Amino acid sequence: MIIDGLIEGLSNIVDPVLLGLMFLGVLIGIFVGFLPAVSGLLGTALMLPAIVGMKPLMALPFLLALHAVSYTGGSMTAILVNIPGTGPNAATLIDGFPMTQKGQAGRAMGAAIASSSLGGMLSVVFALIFIPIVIPLVRLLYSAEMFFIIIMGLSFLAVLAGSSPIKGLMAGGLGLLFSFVGFQSTTGIPRFTFGSVFLLDQLNIIAVVIGLFALPELIDLATRRKTIALCESAGIGGWTDVWEGVKDVFRHFGVFLRGTVVGYIIGVIPGVGAETAPFVAYGQAKQASKHPEKFGTGIVEGVIAPESANNAKEAGALLTTLAFGVPGSAVMAILLGAFFLVGIVPGPEMLTDNLGLSFTMLLGIAVANVMAGIVCLAFAPFATRITKVHPDYLFPVILVLGLTGAFAAGAQILNLAVVVWFGVMGFFMNRFHYSKPAFLLGFVLGMLFEHYFWHALNLQGPFFFMRPVSLLIILAIVLIFVIKPLKAHFRRASRKRPITEA
Amino acid sequence: MKMRPSTYLVITTLVVTAVVIAYSLTYPYLESKLLPVLVGSILFILTGIQLIKELRLPEDTSAPMMERAPEYGLIECAPSAAWIVGLCLAIYLFGFMASIPVFVIAYIKSHGRGWSMAIGVAASLTAFIYVVFIELLQVDLHPGLFMDFLS
């Protein structure tokens, strides 16, 4: 049955009309992703009226193509101007922008585009292979397991802390505290809102990221009055540089593969949040690296890891949405609406009766990633020219786009105040060497951490962690942090032994 | 024992954290206060340790935790920060579509560039914002308090 479905999916996906429609979706997706702070979510929502009357086989791959590649477009703004095109691209700017400052924008973009596109394709292969295993496994996940998955993400705070662990943990703690602003999820009590209606809905992540990362860099750019690429002798990033970045993905294939697996697994788990995957992939790459101290200074592994996870999570998220009819994210909720709009009811039948359509959508993600990779690679050498534009022109343009994007992200004028507030914080964090990625990780995971903690406690009691899957996740967390020091210890011990024996 | 600029930041964090803990304790249910109090307390302890570390550092140390001498002072950065705050205020009062061209022209001209480039960049950027955000994405950009008042 699976083979029949796969063959039907393959024959559907080569339809020239569908390919043309998907290419249009890819172009729209890259464009909305490229715009600072405008995500694929908005693009997908805006395209909903366009699919009314379309056949499911045309409408759904079109929307999926649009959404699946928006992160590829979003990586470009993160790398070039330190503003993530979409929320999940925030992890890319940690190393992407320093690479641009070093005159390696082309290489960073090549690596980001290749890793996100290849990650997106590989995750489809994972999805196809692991359908029979993943679905029963997802059924085993309850709030307790979700809580420990979030704890796993938070444990990477120690990795993102940088050279000063106390400062890093302080930044992470501050991020957690800021995530508590707004309604508490289980009681509905407003916290730290000081009577403001605007704060009830929590702080918008896009506004926080623009303030924290982009504003301090803009101030630096305008004060320095030199181009973004600090290295004057560096080129603007032509084809050679972009191609070098593509080759980097294969040079660091382990980093890419682990990022893709992390992205796929987190994508499969509903409700963990799109921003979690790239940060966990980044933290994991840093943790496993032989030179973790170089992360954050502009190294290509720091771009490959989050970008491979970014697109990889989409195939996983689609699989869960199809199998359970439960959207794992806001975009998947919109897609679920699109399913109903074209007369399809998601649920277990999608993996039995409608297997052909399900495979067409999964293969559509792979094809969209190929298209996005080609389009973005063709565009990359031109986009990198921005790094050589004088700040007298660049500063107002980036500032206006950033502020407009921050406003558009929540349609709230007070988001501009959030941008300024976090801009001030980011400025002082830069000056006194506090880890901004650690702050962001705390902020992103804080809400989920609290939500799942109370759910697990209320549903499963104080010993909610005494479940087999929870214990396995706890073991995994311990292993992540114990394996490397243990390996180093045994390596040292084995080096000393011959000397002692001699 | 000398107070460095970073020490003031640590002290501010310590005070803010103490206020957060005290404020959290006023919330009615355990669910709403437990984690803010817990995270706040951990942060308070970490900040206290950091404060002790900073105060114990000798004045001429080059230990890694001491902040690097910033490339630019606060005074040098103030004009750029003022442009940012100015644009935010202008948007709040006069809306996006009125503030953007005026801001772009004012910024580029004040940095000694020609009129043609200033007007060209301003016109292109305003057109881009209009077409993409208002026409294509259908975002209702803030019209400004002043415009609201006039209408």
Side-chain angles (χ1 to χ4, degrees):
Chain A
M1 191 178 70
I2 288 179
I3 301 293
D4 290 343
L6 190 59
I7 292 168
E8 192 186 331
L10 280 169
S11 61
N12 286 338
I13 208 74
V14 292
D15 180 356
V17 180
L18 179 60
L19 286 175
L21 205 57
M22 278 174 57
F23 188 66
L24 180 67
V26 165
L27 292 181
I28 298 170
I30 293 171
F31 182 66
V32 293
F34 188 75
L35 285 176
V38 178
S39 64
L41 176 78
L42 190 58
T44 315
L46 283 170
M47 283 299 132
L48 271 185
I51 64 159
V52 177
M54 272 192 199
K55 288 179 189 166
L57 265 177
M58 295 286 155
L60 299 175
F62 163 69
L63 280 186
L64 269 172
L66 188 160
H67 167 63
V69 304
S70 61
Y71 304 114
T72 313
S75 67
M76 293 200 263
T77 31
I79 289 166
L80 293 175
V81 295
N82 212 21
I83 296 177
T86 68
N89 292 117
T92 309
L93 53 78
I94 302 169
D95 272 281
F97 189 67
M99 279 185 81
T100 298
Q101 288 182 311
K102 287 199 271 185
Q104 298 174 357
R107 190 177 162 199
M109 284 179 67
I113 295 164
S115 52
S116 63
S117 297
L118 291 172
M121 285 188 269
L122 192 61
S123 71
V124 172
V125 178
F126 290 158
L128 293 174
I129 295 172
F130 297 118
I131 280 181
I133 306 166
V134 165
I135 300 302
L137 273 179
V138 173
R139 285 185 208 276
L140 292 174
L141 297 178
Y142 289 85
S143 299
E145 286 74 30
M146 304 298 228
F147 173 71
F148 287 112
I149 288 166
I150 300 297
I151 291 278
M152 187 189 271
L154 279 174
S155 65
F156 284 109
L157 272 178
V159 180
L160 291 175
S163 57
S164 174
I166 293 181
K167 283 183 171 181
L169 291 173
M170 275 172 69
L174 268 176
L176 274 167
L177 280 186
F178 274 101
S179 76
F180 296 143
V181 173
F183 277 126
Q184 202 270 340
S185 65
T186 49
T187 59
I189 299 284
R191 293 181 304 191
F192 311 114
T193 57
F194 310 103
S196 160
V197 177
F198 165 72
L199 289 176
L200 286 177
D201 202 21
Q202 292 161 338
L203 295 165
N204 185 290
I205 184 175
I206 293 290
V208 172
V209 173
I210 290 177
L212 208 59
F213 287 90
L215 244 53
E217 289 305 332
L218 275 175
I219 291 174
D220 187 50
L221 186 74
T223 312
R224 199 174 61 227
R225 291 194 77 190
K226 285 181 183 164
T227 56
I228 291 178
L230 294 172
C231 180
E232 293 292 333
S233 59
I236 51 172
W239 277 106
T240 327
D241 289 347
V242 175
W243 186 239
E244 203 57 34
V246 176
K247 286 198 281 187
D248 275 325
V249 177
F250 296 97
R251 284 188 200 114
H252 304 282
F253 198 73
V255 176
F256 160 75
L257 199 62
R258 286 195 299 271
T260 305
V261 171
V262 166
Y264 173 71
I265 292 173
I266 293 182
V268 164
I269 303 163
V272 180
E275 284 84 5
T276 312
F279 274 105
V280 172
Y282 183 88
Q284 195 280 329
K286 188 177 176 182
Q287 166 75 9
S289 173
K290 285 178 186 158
H291 43 78
E293 73 287 350
K294 286 186 183 167
F295 274 73
T297 61
I299 61 167
V300 77
E301 293 100 303
V303 173
I304 294 170
E307 278 306 315
S308 52
N310 248 342
N311 284 21
K313 67 185 184 305
E314 292 313 312
L318 176 67
L319 197 62
T320 322
T321 309
L322 287 176
F324 300 109
V326 177
S329 63
V331 176
M332 284 299 152
I334 293 176
L335 278 173
L336 206 63
F339 278 69
F340 290 119
L341 214 58
V342 293
I344 297 285
V345 181
E349 299 79 31
M350 288 300 291
L351 300 180
T352 50
D353 302 345
N354 273 326
L355 204 56
L357 176 63
S358 301
F359 277 128
T360 308
M361 284 190 278
L362 278 172
L363 292 169
I365 291 181
V367 172
N369 274 294
V370 177
M371 289 173 172
I374 294 167
V375 171
C376 288
L377 284 175
F379 177 60
F382 305 103
T384 53
R385 286 165 199 262
I386 203 172
T387 62
K388 288 286 176 182
V389 175
H390 197 278
D392 289 354
Y393 303 115
L394 205 55
F395 174 84
V397 173
I398 298 176
L399 181 62
V400 164
L401 286 175
L403 291 180
T404 314
F407 173 83
Q412 292 275 4
I413 190 65
L414 284 174
N415 269 351
L416 303 193
V418 174
V419 171
V420 172
W421 170 267
F422 282 95
V424 173
M425 270 188 68
F427 180 80
F428 285 108
M429 286 176 86
N430 266 0
R431 251 177 137 75
F432 301 128
H433 295 241
Y434 285 83
S435 167
K436 291 192 288 189
F439 176 94
L440 200 57
L441 186 66
F443 179 74
V444 165
L445 296 182
M447 284 173 269
L448 296 167
F449 169 73
E450 185 176 34
H451 175 80
Y452 287 120
F453 172 72
W454 287 114
H455 266 254
L457 198 68
N458 292 335
L459 291 173
Q460 283 138 359
F463 296 103
F464 63 82
F465 51 88
M466 294 299 286
R467 293 165 47 82
V469 184
S470 295
L471 289 172
L472 271 177
I473 300 171
I474 295 170
L475 183 70
I477 297 171
V478 174
L479 283 178
I480 285 171
F481 288 92
V482 166
I483 278 183
K484 204 179 172 186
L486 268 183
K487 270 168 86 176
H489 172 78
F490 285 124
R491 208 174 293 136
R492 272 198 305 272
S494 65
R495 270 194 213 126
K496 275 181 190 168
R497 203 170 299 135
I499 300 166
T500 325
E501 280 166 10
Chain B
M1 191 166 71
K2 193 190 169 191
M3 297 280 270
R4 293 181 195 83
S6 63
T7 316
Y8 292 109
L9 184 74
V10 177
I11 293 171
T12 311
T13 312
L14 200 69
V15 173
V16 170
T17 314
V19 173
V20 165
I21 296 168
Y23 201 73
S24 305
L25 287 168
T26 63
Y27 293 131
Y29 302 108
L30 182 69
E31 282 98 326
S32 51
K33 64 176 136 187
L34 180 70
L35 286 180
V37 170
L38 197 69
V39 174
S41 305
I42 295 168
L43 184 58
F44 190 82
I45 293 165
L46 287 171
T47 315
I49 295 170
Q50 181 64 23
L51 183 63
I52 293 166
K53 277 179 85 172
E54 297 226 354
L55 291 175
R56 277 188 175 177
L57 260 183
E59 275 177 49
D60 58 345
T61 186
S62 55
M65 64 160 290
M66 190 177 162
E67 71 272 17
R68 168 191 66 174
E71 205 175 335
Y72 301 105
L74 283 176
I75 305 290
E76 283 122 305
C77 294
S80 320
W83 278 106
I84 295 172
V85 176
L87 177 61
C88 289
L89 281 176
I91 291 171
Y92 181 63
L93 292 172
F94 305 106
F96 279 88
M97 295 318 288
S99 307
I100 289 170
V102 175
F103 166 77
V104 175
I105 292 173
Y107 185 86
I108 295 176
K109 276 306 294 169
S110 72
H111 284 77
R113 303 281 168 169
W115 277 105
S116 54
M117 276 304 282
I119 293 171
V121 174
S124 315
L125 187 61
T126 312
F128 179 82
I129 296 284
Y130 177 78
V131 171
V132 173
F133 285 91
I134 297 179
E135 291 298 325
L136 292 177
L137 298 174
Q138 312 250 307
V139 177
D140 281 329
L141 290 181
H142 180 65
L145 281 189
F146 190 67
M147 295 298 175
D148 265 353
F149 176 74
L150 283 182
S151 63

